Amino acid sequence: MSTHQRNIVEQLPISLSGRRKTDLRSQFGALCYRTKKNGKVEVLLVTSRTSRRWIIPKGWPIDGKTPADTATIEAWEEAGVRGISDGRCVGIFSYRKETEEMGALPCVAMVFAIEVVDLADAFPEAEERKRKWMSRKQAAKLVDEPELSRIIRDFEPGLRG
């Protein structure tokens, strides 16, 4: 198997059944990371509010903010992260967001790396989520979305340019 074949990830189809193409939603996510003294990279995952699955912080576009700014805001609200992003997207993944009002919405999320500078104990969604530092390999196994798993597994902070 070639390197190229190993890097191919099964991409889940986006279902617009019963919807218009304009119903596809965009979100911006934060891949929060730190580099330990031994050079190992760890990522911070949080649980979703309802299903308690492990996810990255992400949210809807915010008027007047760039996608990277929005990811940084979501990292604060959902994980208590104060961090720095260089503004470059490190990957895109698709998934279905379950909502009470509209059912499952097809979504595409752009992911921005956020280097964690500080981790607060008190933050807006602290009572609603758990958070945990882990290796990229462990985090890649815990998230449900195959494309996000690959983004996490292959992420190298020094190779983003």
Side-chain angles (χ1 to χ4, degrees), residues 1-17:
M1 181 181 290
S2 73
T3 302
H4 175 71
Q5 289 170 319
R6 282 191 306 253
N7 288 332
I8 294 174
V9 173
E10 178 184 349
Q11 194 170 43
L12 302 176
I14 294 173
S15 173
L16 294 174
S17 177

Side-chain angles (χ1 to χ4, degrees), residues 32 44-49 52-58 74-75 78-81 123 125 129-132 134 143:
C32 303
L44 185 70
L45 294 185
V46 298
T47 56
S48 66
R49 288 192 223 181
R52 311 306 284 172
R53 295 177 306 108
W54 288 106
I55 62 170
I56 62 170
K58 62 187 174 309
E74 294 300 329
E78 297 183 10
V81 165
F123 54 96
E125 297 180 16
R129 300 179 188 275
K130 292 182 182 178
R131 62 185 179 185
K132 184 177 179 182
M134 58 190 79
V143 297

Side-chain angles (χ1 to χ4, degrees), residues 139-153:
K141 288 180 182 177
L142 289 177
V143 297
D144 287 344
E145 300 82 5
E147 298 158 306
L148 177 57
S149 177
R150 183 191 52 76
I151 292 166
I152 293 170
R153 186 191 70 231

Side-chain angles (χ1 to χ4, degrees), residues 4 22 30-32 75 82 86 88 93 135 157 159:
H4 175 71
T22 55
L31 180 55
C32 303
R82 294 284 189 205
D86 67 7
R88 289 180 280 181
F93 71 98
S135 70
L159 301 178

Side-chain angles (χ1 to χ4, degrees), residues 36-114:
K36 297 181 76 175
K37 289 181 182 172
N38 64 4
K40 300 281 184 184
V41 174
E42 290 185 322
V43 298
L44 185 70
L45 294 185
V46 298
T47 56
S48 66
R49 288 192 223 181
T50 53
S51 68
R52 311 306 284 172
R53 295 177 306 108
W54 288 106
I55 62 170
I56 62 170
K58 62 187 174 309
W60 306 112
I62 299 172
D63 190 37
K65 300 291 183 185
T66 68
D69 289 342
T70 300
T72 302
I73 291 166
E74 294 300 329
W76 164 249
E77 291 177 355
E78 297 183 10
V81 165
R82 294 284 189 205
I84 301 166
S85 172
D86 67 7
R88 289 180 280 181
C89 176
V90 296
I92 298 172
F93 71 98
S94 59
Y95 70 103
R96 296 169 52 87
K97 178 162 183 72
E98 297 294 331
T99 66
E100 288 183 22
E101 312 83 38
M102 300 177 72
L105 295 175
C107 292
V108 175
M110 296 176 65
V111 179
F112 296 85
I114 309 290

